[in-house]
Amino acid sequence: MIDKIARTVAEALEGIEDGSTVLVSGFGEAGVPNVLVEGLIEQGARDLVLVNNNAGVGRHGIAALLAAGRVRKMVCSFPRSVGSVVFPELYAAGKIELEVVPQGTLSERIRAGGAGLGGFFTPTGVGTQVADGKEVRRIDGRDYVLELPIRGDVALVKGHVADRFGNLTYRKAARNFGPSMAMAGRRTIAEVYEIRNGDGLDPERIVTPGIFVDAVVKVER
Amino acid sequence: MIDKIARTVAEALEGIEDGSTVLVSGFGEAGVPNVLVEGLIEQGARDLVLVNNNAGVGRHGIAALLAAGRVRKMVCSFPRSVGSVVFPELYAAGKIELEVVPQGTLSERIRAGGAGLGGFFTPTGVGTQVADGKEVRRIDGRDYVLELPIRGDVALVKGHVADRFGNLTYRKAARNFGPSMAMAGRRTIAEVYEIRNGDGLDPERIVTPGIFVDAVVKVER
Amino acid sequence: MAEPLTRPQIAWRIAQDIPDGAYVNLGIGMPEMVADHLPDGREVMLHSENGILGLGPSPAEGEEDWDLINAGKKPVTLVPGGAYFHHTDSFAIVRGGHLDLCVLGAYQVSAHGDLANWSTGDESRLPGIGGAMDLAMGANGIFVMMELCTRKGAPKILENCTYPLTGQRCVDRIYSDYAVIDIADDGPVVREMIDGIDFAALQGKAEARLRLAEDWRTLAAPDL
Amino acid sequence: MAEPLTRPQIAWRIAQDIPDGAYVNLGIGMPEMVADHLPDGREVMLHSENGILGLGPSPAEGEEDWDLINAGKKPVTLVPGGAYFHHTDSFAIVRGGHLDLCVLGAYQVSAHGDLANWSTGDESRLPGIGGAMDLAMGANGIFVMMELCTRKGAPKILENCTYPLTGQRCVDRIYSDYAVIDIADDGPVVREMIDGIDFAALQGKAEARLRLAEDWRTLAAPDL
């Protein structure tokens, strides 16, 4: 029987290794799996590469993981959002690496990782610093930059409702990076507000099919 | 005011030009917009390049358009499904060109067209005839073939429910190529069984946002 | 002499040029103001990079839903006909040429439409790109909303940008405090300028050589 | 001497090796039979390329829903926990390595695991690839289900395939009427063979050189 429901956050996060690349869903504060991210501090993995659109807000969630010194490198599109304090301090002190990626390219690289592609040509970044050192190719009269996929050893995503099969729905714009990161994680763990018992979610409403999800944990609102 | 509802099939299909590339959703018989495809016979455009997973069944829909001699070239993954009679005849008689594409590559090329990418590297087809004449590149220890995007001058898709904004839902596995083709059509026309009045569809259930859709036409079941 | 347009007035002027039924992305910051000035009777669908079409006005205080924020991370609402989708699909919309218009701020715009709006090249500053590069290369029309000069009086329309680029040859039109300027194939063309400035004075506010359209008109906006 | 396995028996044998909780794609045709023989108590999620996870049994006559068909275009049902998604996402599942297993038919398999199952190279025949190339390169484990020889008695396990390839070095294991054969790094290794055939006779049914595993076992299946 398929049962992906983990009883505790610790159980869901078991086995995450030092040096892992960890994809974390969310845009600003919406859709960040804060419980899982803070659970990762407890879990203890270090030397992580963290992939998120931003780089944490305040001193909780991603910022707390950064402050705990567990992250070697941050991959994001915009690390200096309002309320981002921990990352700028670490970066200024030379204590963390940064790879800054155009937002659509970040997302597409993650999807490419999840979809088994070796790379793609995008118009984004042509003629900018982002294209430095990368192949630029003219295709059908337009220039494109070659970008490579991102895979996560682990993806931590925040859904809304789940079932024992790992199927997920999301809520409003908190959906953001969840579906693509779920695809791109070798091990994908979701925190959700509700677990539907019985026959599973409405198959027409499922956004992330359970095949992409390894563990689901219910958290309080 | 946004109102994408066309009163007639003829109105929806207006302006499709000779020589157009036409993407047609559907897998086998599920999700084929037969009313629009047959409307295209009436509309009169010829010398078309038709993109569909298959190449028509029986003598209606796609097969009827083929039989009417309107299609110069068929791009598909599998033209010899059970019940496919018209295409094999035309092909054997040398009356139509064929580009046969692995199914996942076909779909991904269409998505790439809709997503503004210049191409992508896929493992599918490496070491096969499909890779003949194409760039093969080793990336991170694995070989990939470079495939280029497909855009449609027109996409004809079959949805289930629509609203005046062009938002679409689909029904079960009739969803298939609809969402990606809707993205990839310079002009996208959907036939649906129901048009929801008022405030539009549930924003959580929409599969194709209206930005991809130019016209919607209601057809009988 | 007429005063230069205020930011709300520039926003108002841009709003007049957004057609009914358009799909539009308003960049974070100044361009967001355009939403407040859309003429009545025009149904415009606003896109937000994080995965929304159909942005509505800010919610009333106490009604905020923090799962419904815009690209600037501020709480918003959804209009009828709106939709949610995931972030990668949202940028398929951007890059795939599905947006009719995008309004962006700018540090600098070049004579041939290059845009610099993400970095001043100051290495001591934490870099951040966000969605600007995708929007600049992806939307069908790129409107820039800016003042013609920096607060220190340096011109922002240059022969070539000196700051790192966001996108090449992407800007279609600049809406500014003194003028509306198209980026034509042969360089910037002034379509509108405010009353009481002459072309020579306007040229003084740009490094790139401007050309005055024969059919130029007066740039004016209501008091706002 | 024991009879070779029938197709239902090969399907039964494969079904025994599909673990509880596995995500599996069963290729069109012969491999579809595997679904009928999954042992009780194992919950296996079947994937269909057209955009389904959770294929259930065929519907009763008169209950067919033609919007719910499998990759072979036959009406199916959906099991609890199943989901619909669009075709491009379905192949992201395939190519992205998310399927635990895929069972495919074959015209030929080479000693190093190349698969030929889409074309006999007959130019007079209408070509058709379908999803086989994606599945061959994408699924984590590729099981081939076939008879060891063609109806005319020609071996199908060859040093090198003579037909056009579907995928290179992709086959993990062959389930056949006479034997279960792994494709190991150094070539085909017989893991199981039916009672009453000796290894020399089995080798006679393959062109590629086979190796008999030291711990080989008897291949047997119930009457079906």
Side-chain angles (χ1 to χ4, degrees):
Chain A
M1 190 175 121
I2 297 172
D3 185 4
K4 299 184 177 178
I5 301 165
R7 269 137 307 178
T8 63
V9 170
E11 182 190 323
L13 296 175
E14 220 168 333
I16 299 178
E17 292 178 11
D18 291 354
S20 293
T21 294
V22 182
L23 315 179
V24 178
S25 68
F27 183 99
E29 292 260 58
V32 178
N34 279 315
V35 176
L36 291 176
V37 173
E38 293 185 1
L40 199 49
I41 300 173
E42 193 75 13
Q43 194 269 352
R46 39 185 70 244
D47 201 28
L48 302 173
V49 175
L50 210 64
V51 182
N52 177 262
N53 187 59
N54 306 105
V57 174
R59 305 220 165 247
H60 62 283
I62 292 169
L65 187 69
L66 293 169
R70 301 299 171 73
V71 181
R72 174 174 67 78
K73 180 181 176 182
M74 187 80 226
V75 180
C76 67
S77 89
F78 202 76
R80 45 168 221 258
S81 295
V82 178
S84 174
V85 286
V86 173
F87 182 83
E89 282 165 20
L90 291 169
Y91 184 74
K95 288 184 177 162
I96 195 162
E97 292 172 57
L98 171 64
E99 180 182 348
V100 63
V101 182
Q103 203 177 117
T105 299
L106 180 65
S107 197
E108 191 68 24
R109 289 176 65 192
I110 293 164
R111 178 194 177 270
L117 301 177
F120 56 90
F121 284 101
T122 177
T124 302
V126 168
T128 78
Q129 289 181 2
V130 161
D132 287 354
K134 293 175 187 159
E135 179 183 339
V136 174
R137 186 185 295 207
R138 176 149 293 213
I139 299 168
D140 203 15
R142 194 171 185 199
D143 287 335
Y144 296 88
V145 188
L146 177 63
E147 295 281 359
L148 300 180
I150 295 176
R151 287 217 67 171
D153 297 299
V154 180
L156 307 179
V157 304
K158 181 176 178 175
H160 185 222
V161 186
D163 59 23
R164 69 175 170 91
F165 304 93
N167 294 311
L168 301 179
T169 62
Y170 299 85
R171 189 168 175 279
K172 301 189 177 180
R175 187 183 301 195
N176 57 65
F177 282 84
S180 295
M181 286 186 169
M183 285 170 62
R186 288 192 187 83
R187 176 171 168 78
T188 292
I189 305 157
E191 68 173 65
V192 297
Y193 289 129
E194 188 185 334
I195 291 175
R196 191 74 48 85
N197 292 322
D199 279 356
L201 302 181
D202 176 354
E204 299 278 16
R205 283 204 65 152
I206 290 166
V207 176
T208 292
I211 191 170
F212 296 127
V213 177
D214 299 282
V216 164
V217 93
K218 184 176 183 299
V219 301
E220 295 308 310
R221 259 172 232 268
Chain B
M1 190 173 120
I2 297 173
D3 185 5
K4 299 184 177 178
I5 301 166
R7 268 137 307 176
T8 63
V9 170
E11 182 190 323
L13 296 175
E14 221 168 332
I16 298 178
E17 292 178 12
D18 292 353
S20 294
T21 294
V22 182
L23 316 179
V24 178
S25 68
F27 184 98
E29 292 260 59
V32 178
N34 279 314
V35 177
L36 292 175
V37 173
E38 294 186 0
L40 199 48
I41 301 174
E42 193 74 15
Q43 195 267 351
R46 38 185 70 245
D47 201 28
L48 303 173
V49 175
L50 210 65
V51 182
N52 177 261
N53 186 60
N54 306 106
V57 174
R59 305 221 165 247
H60 62 284
I62 292 170
L65 187 69
L66 294 169
R70 301 299 171 73
V71 181
R72 174 174 68 76
K73 180 180 177 183
M74 187 80 226
V75 180
C76 67
S77 90
F78 202 74
R80 47 167 219 259
S81 294
V82 178
S84 175
V85 285
V86 173
F87 182 83
E89 282 165 22
L90 290 169
Y91 185 72
K95 289 183 176 162
I96 195 163
E97 293 173 54
L98 171 64
E99 180 181 348
V100 62
V101 182
Q103 203 177 118
T105 299
L106 179 65
S107 196
E108 191 68 25
R109 288 176 65 192
I110 293 164
R111 177 192 178 272
L117 302 177
F120 57 89
F121 285 100
T122 177
T124 302
V126 169
T128 78
Q129 289 181 1
V130 161
D132 286 355
K134 293 175 187 161
E135 179 182 338
V136 173
R137 187 185 295 208
R138 176 150 292 214
I139 299 168
D140 204 14
R142 194 170 186 202
D143 288 336
Y144 297 88
V145 188
L146 177 62
E147 294 281 359
L148 301 180
I150 294 176
R151 287 218 67 171
D153 298 299
V154 181
L156 306 180
V157 305
K158 181 176 177 175
H160 186 221
V161 186
D163 59 23
R164 70 175 170 90
F165 304 93
N167 293 309
L168 301 180
T169 62
Y170 299 85
R171 189 167 176 277
K172 301 189 177 180
R175 186 182 302 195
N176 58 64
F177 282 85
S180 296
M181 286 187 169
M183 285 170 62
R186 290 192 186 84
R187 176 170 167 79
T188 292
I189 306 157
E191 68 174 62
V192 297
Y193 287 129
E194 188 185 334
I195 292 175
R196 192 72 50 84
N197 293 321
D199 280 356
L201 302 181
D202 176 355
E204 299 279 16
R205 284 205 64 153
I206 290 166
V207 176
T208 292
I211 191 171
F212 297 127
V213 177
D214 298 284
V216 164
V217 95
K218 183 176 184 299
V219 300
E220 295 308 309
R221 258 171 234 267
Chain C
M1 170 173 157
E3 291 293 304
L5 267 53
T6 62
R7 289 180 171 188
Q9 286 178 310
I10 305 174
W12 176 90
R13 179 63 195 82
I14 293 172
Q16 308 314 302
D17 284 357
I18 297 182
D20 189 29
Y23 290 92
V24 180
N25 183 294
L26 301 175
I28 298 171
M30 233 205 293
E32 292 179 49
M33 296 168 67
V34 173
D36 299 331
H37 300 287
L38 290 167
D40 285 345
R42 286 194 208 168
E43 194 167 42
V44 170
M45 292 298 266
L46 298 178
H47 171 262
S48 186
E49 296 95 292
N50 49 326
I52 308 170
L53 262 174
L55 286 187
S58 308
E61 222 182 292
E63 305 276 298
E64 297 89 353
D65 180 339
W66 293 96
D67 284 343
L68 182 46
I69 58 172
N70 65 9
K73 282 103 181 174
K74 283 184 286 218
V76 290
T77 54
L78 194 77
V79 300
Y84 304 118
F85 33 81
H86 68 69
H87 187 274
T88 314
D89 279 352
S90 187
F91 277 86
I93 287 175
V94 171
R95 251 190 344 255
H98 303 284
L99 293 170
D100 297 304
L101 287 170
C102 178
V103 184
L104 292 169
Y107 296 147
Q108 299 177 334
V109 177
S110 83
H112 37 280
D114 293 351
L115 171 69
N117 80 348
W118 73 278
S119 166
T120 60
D122 177 353
E123 298 274 333
S124 73
R125 203 159 170 238
L126 184 58
I129 298 173
M133 287 190 182
D134 303 279
L135 286 162
M137 298 307 280
N140 285 319
I142 299 287
F143 287 175
V144 159
M145 175 178 179
M146 68 176 197
E147 279 93 24
L148 272 191
C149 297
T150 66
R151 261 170 284 184
K152 292 184 176 167
K156 296 169 71 172
I157 301 181
L158 308 175
E159 272 309 320
N160 292 291
C161 296
T162 59
Y163 291 167
L165 292 191
T166 304
Q168 276 183 323
R169 297 181 176 273
C170 56
V171 175
D172 294 292
R173 178 173 261 210
I174 299 163
Y175 292 86
S176 73
D177 42 357
Y178 288 93
V180 175
I181 300 171
D182 278 347
I183 303 294
D185 287 345
D186 58 348
V189 178
V190 178
R191 293 280 167 209
E192 302 181 12
M193 54 184 182
I194 61 167
D195 248 350
I197 193 172
D198 64 17
F199 182 65
L202 188 69
Q203 178 64 73
K205 293 180 180 297
E207 183 212 84
R209 200 175 153 273
L210 306 178
R211 186 158 64 79
L212 186 64
E214 284 182 28
D215 58 348
W216 73 273
R217 297 162 63 167
T218 300
L219 171 59
D223 289 339
L224 287 168
Chain D
M1 174 173 156
E3 291 292 304
L5 266 54
T6 62
R7 287 179 172 188
Q9 286 178 310
I10 305 174
W12 176 90
R13 179 64 195 81
I14 293 172
Q16 308 315 302
D17 284 358
I18 296 182
D20 189 30
Y23 290 90
V24 180
N25 183 294
L26 301 175
I28 298 170
M30 234 205 294
E32 292 179 48
M33 297 168 66
V34 173
D36 299 331
H37 300 286
L38 290 167
D40 285 346
R42 286 194 208 168
E43 194 168 41
V44 170
M45 291 299 265
L46 298 178
H47 170 264
S48 185
E49 296 95 295
N50 49 326
I52 309 171
L53 262 174
L55 286 187
S58 308
E61 222 182 293
E63 304 276 298
E64 296 89 353
D65 180 339
W66 293 97
D67 285 343
L68 183 46
I69 58 172
N70 66 10
K73 281 101 180 177
K74 283 183 287 218
V76 290
T77 53
L78 193 78
V79 300
Y84 304 118
F85 33 80
H86 69 69
H87 188 273
T88 314
D89 279 351
S90 187
F91 277 85
I93 288 175
V94 171
R95 251 191 343 255
H98 303 285
L99 293 170
D100 297 304
L101 287 171
C102 178
V103 184
L104 292 168
Y107 295 147
Q108 300 176 334
V109 177
S110 82
H112 37 281
D114 293 350
L115 172 68
N117 79 348
W118 74 279
S119 166
T120 59
D122 177 353
E123 297 275 333
S124 73
R125 208 166 165 232
L126 184 58
I129 297 173
M133 288 190 182
D134 303 279
L135 287 163
M137 298 307 281
N140 285 320
I142 299 287
F143 287 174
V144 160
M145 175 179 180
M146 67 176 197
E147 278 93 24
L148 273 192
C149 297
T150 66
R151 261 170 284 183
K152 292 184 178 168
K156 296 169 70 173
I157 302 181
L158 308 175
E159 272 309 320
N160 291 292
C161 296
T162 59
Y163 291 167
L165 292 191
T166 304
Q168 278 183 324
R169 297 180 175 272
C170 56
V171 175
D172 294 292
R173 178 172 263 209
I174 299 163
Y175 292 85
S176 73
D177 42 357
Y178 289 92
V180 175
I181 300 171
D182 278 347
I183 303 293
D185 288 344
D186 59 349
V189 178
V190 178
R191 293 281 168 209
E192 302 179 12
M193 54 184 180
I194 62 167
D195 248 351
I197 192 171
D198 64 17
F199 182 65
L202 188 69
Q203 177 65 72
K205 293 180 179 296
E207 184 212 85
R209 201 175 151 275
L210 306 178
R211 187 158 63 78
L212 185 64
E214 284 182 28
D215 58 348
W216 73 274
R217 297 161 63 165
T218 299
L219 170 59
D223 289 338
L224 288 169

